[in-house]
Amino acid sequence: QVPLVEAGGGLVQAGGSLRLSCAASGRTLGRTFLDYVMAWFRQAPGKEREFVGAISRFGGNPNYADSVKGRFTISTDNAKNTLYLQMNSLKPEDTAVYYCAVTFRGTTTTSTQYDYWGQGTQVTVSS
């Protein structure tokens, strides 16, 4: 069983919206009372993986990269053990493969601190 599975990527015009989801499951991530931080990263061709935002599994105030503040919203659905990324006012520079990730180390923007990764979903924003 794959611990993190993303969905919702696609092609959208600039100014449009997309919603990504990331379902967590398995013996570790599916444990009912286990708290951890869930995050979104993205990686554009030829660039390093970039932090987008993060939130505790059980909610709280999310953290965002400056580049997406005011346009992207992270949320969780505990009943479904799912992380969401609502992306509005998309720009061509948002084009990337988007990954969800989990860490037990608290909120961090450093990708190497994350223990679990999804397979990624492509988001393409046309101008």
Side-chain angles (χ1 to χ4, degrees):
Q1 190 175 20
V2 179
L4 296 172
V5 179
E6 300 107 334
L11 173 64
V12 65
Q13 288 189 331
S17 299
L18 280 175
R19 189 176 82 152
L20 307 183
S21 64
C22 173
S25 63
R27 294 179 61 185
T28 300
L29 299 185
R31 288 168 59 186
T32 304
F33 300 108
L34 179 64
D35 197 11
Y36 42 79
V37 170
M38 304 182 79
W40 290 100
F41 284 79
R42 66 186 182 185
Q43 189 166 19
K47 295 188 177 181
E48 293 187 354
R49 194 162 294 190
E50 174 190 26
F51 174 79
V52 174
I55 190 171
S56 171
R57 178 190 183 191
F58 297 123
N61 294 324
N63 291 279
Y64 297 100
D66 289 342
S67 58
V68 306
K69 279 181 183 176
R71 300 188 298 121
F72 290 10
T73 302
I74 289 176
S75 61
T76 58
D77 182 333
N78 292 329
K80 297 180 180 179
N81 213 18
T82 299
L83 173 72
Y84 298 98
L85 180 65
Q86 177 66 45
M87 304 184 292
N88 299 328
S89 302
L90 282 161
K91 305 175 182 179
E93 51 264 42
D94 294 319
T95 295
V97 177
Y98 284 70
Y99 299 89
C100 68
V102 163
T103 181
F104 298 99
R105 299 177 175 88
T107 301
T108 173
T109 63
T110 305
S111 61
T112 55
Q113 297 296 305
Y114 284 78
D115 305 289
Y116 291 87
W117 290 88
Q119 81 284 359
T121 185
Q122 176 71 46
V123 171
T124 303
V125 184
S126 63
S127 57

